[in-house]
Amino acid sequence: MTIEDAVRQAEPELMKKPNVVGVGQGQRGGKPVITVLVTRKRPEAELPKEDLVPKTVRGFPTDVVEIGVVSAQSEPQ
Amino acid sequence: MAKKSRSVRRSKPVRRMEGGKVMAAELQKMQLSESDIQSAEKACTAAVGEFIEEGKPRANVRGLGVGCKWTDGQPTGEPALVVLVSRKVDEEHLTKADIVPPKLQNVQTDVLAVGELFAGNEGIGLQTLAKRLRPAEGGYSVGHFKITAGTIATCVYDILPGGSTGVTPAHGLGVPPRFYILSNNHVLANSNNAALGDPILQPGPFDGGVQPADVIARLSRFVPIQLTPAVPIGLHNNLVDAAVAEGQFHDLDREIYWNGYVRGWRPRNNVVNMVGQVVKKTGRTTNLTTGRITVVSATVDVNYGGGQVGRFKDQIITTAMSAGGDSGSLVMTIDNVAIGLLYAGSQQATILNQIEHVRALLRVEVAEQIL
């Protein structure tokens, strides 16, 4: 499976998790990873099991990245 | 910016003068006596609570400090409570509650425009590409008459006869019938809340653009954005936040300020191999910036204000290279190949649409080569 297919297949389940605002194809140490974007990173201990991002998805490692709140960028009112 | 407000509070407001020069006599007039400062500071502390109360904001008011009163561009030497505003607006355009009173706590007020303040971004907002320009070029302020301001990506034309989109995109040949400004839906079409033919102002309304003097184009077409709560997020299929507005050829320059001409555009399938590469843009707010592509083929949820969220697919994510007002900027490789249309971001990242999707959905050309 290519990383692109893996991202496409895994996206719906990952996007359902609270705090997750994005899923895509990134790199870590030169290797392809599934990047999971969250508004705020939290320690695993604070999260219920079902909200954790799995270490691997469809055979590819995941990378959780904090992105903050994403907004459309016209000049604020 | 922070520096400016600090200096105001320290009551030595060095205001930027014509040519940057401050005369010695004026400098002296800007210095206040210790007792003046003390009493003004007391008044300031008392006034700040009621004046900048959370939940009851006055339009444009961003801060309050102690400084000297200026009249007709000259310092008077008298203490004043300086009300910092994002921009100055004539009293007749403000509701009574929004007008800064002549006195607060029995101390006279002075209004100082400081632009928008961003933490850790000193200077942003001071030097925006906000001026009127004809012909207008990429990077400058633009906006639908009901919005604030965004950025012109570049100027574009209809795909020519023989041109195609899809699996094997190709350029056509011939005479373009129309020319357009390219930017975002939320910049040119007020996030779907616009009618075709609506006036587009350059600069955008936030930067002083008014009708009819600053109308540069009319909204021609936009790709509607599916937003919550109108459409449940699971059903969203957004690929782009894009629109075009038709203008006259002599008003539209497709050069991008500080970046020059777009040499070509890159198909989506090649952009997804660019993770780690450096890209650049010119935008109305942060001017020339560079960033690095961090994520591709990304699905991402973007806030559109008023509780509306749009889920976008197949997006490009870069390191932070933008701020409010940069929406619509064209993002290119270092050697001027268009790859994306900037439309959203956070403190940590900037989000782009694939330029190929923009081309296919709006049926416009940004350049004559696929590179």
Side-chain angles (χ1 to χ4, degrees):
Chain A
M1 188 183 302
T2 66
I3 178 90
E4 204 169 341
D5 289 339
V7 168
R8 197 172 299 138
Q9 286 182 22
E11 179 248 288
E13 56 183 279
L14 289 170
M15 290 297 286
K16 278 191 195 129
K17 293 182 188 290
N19 246 341
V20 172
V21 292
V23 174
Q25 172 190 337
Q27 266 181 21
R28 178 137 238 186
K31 297 229 170 79
V33 294
I34 298 179
T35 304
V36 180
L37 306 168
V38 296
T39 42
R40 200 163 64 85
K41 267 199 163 186
R42 293 170 62 187
E44 282 189 19
E46 274 184 23
L47 290 165
K49 217 172 163 196
E50 64 269 23
D51 291 351
L52 290 175
V53 173
K55 296 268 180 274
T56 61
V57 173
R58 304 285 195 282
F60 288 93
T62 58
D63 184 19
V64 178
V65 175
E66 186 169 293
I67 194 174
V69 177
V70 178
S71 302
Q73 284 190 322
S74 49
E75 178 65 44
Q77 292 283 349
Chain B
M1 305 285 284
K3 215 176 262 168
K4 189 164 215 170
S5 60
R6 267 202 306 278
S7 70
V8 167
R9 228 172 287 132
R10 259 194 266 118
S11 78
K12 287 175 190 168
V14 179
R15 222 171 284 203
R16 211 191 302 187
M17 309 291 288
E18 208 67 51
K21 283 185 197 140
V22 179
M23 296 300 152
E26 286 179 352
L27 248 172
Q28 209 166 17
K29 284 241 163 162
M30 284 155 45
Q31 315 255 344
L32 303 175
S33 73
E34 281 296 320
S35 62
D36 275 345
I37 292 170
Q38 274 174 16
S39 58
E41 275 185 336
K42 211 181 248 178
C44 182
T45 312
V48 81
E50 58 148 301
F51 198 67
I52 319 177
E53 200 182 324
E54 229 179 297
K56 235 177 57 184
R58 276 172 213 259
N60 305 326
V61 171
R62 298 292 182 265
L64 183 67
V66 172
C68 110
K69 175 75 180 174
W70 286 57
T71 306
D72 300 326
Q74 301 292 324
T76 61
E78 297 162 17
L81 293 187
V82 181
V83 179
L84 309 176
V85 297
S86 56
R87 60 186 173 131
K88 289 195 178 188
V89 178
D90 287 339
E91 281 197 9
E92 58 194 286
H93 297 303
L94 288 168
T95 63
K96 220 170 169 189
D98 285 334
I99 295 173
V100 174
K103 282 190 169 187
L104 281 170
Q105 299 288 323
N106 227 14
V107 177
Q108 62 186 334
T109 57
D110 194 12
V111 179
L112 177 64
V114 293
E116 289 296 346
L117 306 169
F118 291 93
N121 263 335
E122 235 172 275
I124 282 180
L126 276 180
Q127 301 202 0
T128 57
L129 283 174
K131 77 164 190 170
R132 186 183 197 278
L133 185 70
R134 298 293 184 275
E137 23 180 89
Y140 276 84
S141 168
V142 74
H144 181 270
F145 73 106
K146 284 185 180 165
I147 75 138
T148 49
T151 294
I152 298 173
T154 180
C155 297
V156 300
Y157 54 92
D158 292 304
I159 291 181
L160 296 171
S164 62
T165 59
V167 188
T168 49
H171 292 271
L173 285 178
V175 183
R178 279 178 283 275
F179 300 91
Y180 311 92
I181 284 172
L182 171 65
S183 187
N184 297 135
N185 173 327
H186 80 269
V187 172
L188 298 180
N190 192 20
S191 306
N192 306 331
N193 294 309
L196 301 187
D198 273 358
I200 304 301
L201 310 180
Q202 194 293 312
F206 186 89
D207 297 325
V210 292
Q211 296 187 64
D214 300 312
V215 175
I216 191 169
R218 302 241 164 215
L219 179 64
S220 298
R221 49 189 185 266
F222 60 94
V223 181
I225 306 171
Q226 295 165 311
L227 294 168
T228 62
V231 182
I233 202 149
L235 301 178
H236 289 195
N237 235 334
N238 297 306
L239 282 175
V240 300
D241 177 345
V244 286
E246 183 181 355
Q248 293 186 279
F249 190 55
H250 64 245
D251 282 338
L252 310 179
D253 186 343
R254 65 168 166 169
E255 183 163 3
I256 298 170
Y257 190 61
W258 270 57
N259 269 324
Y261 292 97
V262 186
R263 290 198 303 128
W265 62 275
R266 185 153 298 170
R268 180 250 170 230
N269 285 345
N270 297 341
V271 175
V272 297
N273 296 324
M274 287 177 62
V275 174
Q277 293 196 30
V278 174
V279 293
K280 63 178 182 178
K281 73 103 186 58
T282 303
R284 172 235 176 239
T285 308
T286 61
N287 308 329
L288 174 75
T289 57
T290 56
R292 197 179 287 283
I293 297 178
T294 55
V295 188
V296 293
S297 306
T299 298
V300 63
D301 291 343
V302 176
N303 293 293
Y304 275 79
Q308 299 184 103
V309 176
R311 177 166 292 178
F312 286 77
K313 301 202 170 161
D314 206 12
Q315 304 300 295
I316 305 162
I317 301 180
T318 70
T319 55
M321 57 185 290
S322 61
D326 287 329
S327 263
S329 303
L330 191 71
V331 178
M332 302 192 287
T333 62
I334 292 303
D335 60 349
N336 284 23
V337 179
I339 64 138
L341 185 66
L342 191 159
Y343 72 108
S346 69
Q347 294 287 327
Q348 291 96 327
T350 291
I351 321 286
L352 331 173
N353 305 142
Q354 286 278 358
I355 198 69
E356 180 171 10
H357 296 323
V358 174
R359 173 182 186 265
L361 292 167
L362 287 173
R363 302 201 57 82
V364 290
E365 297 289 10
V366 300
E368 288 68 51
Q369 288 189 91
I370 299 173
L371 290 172

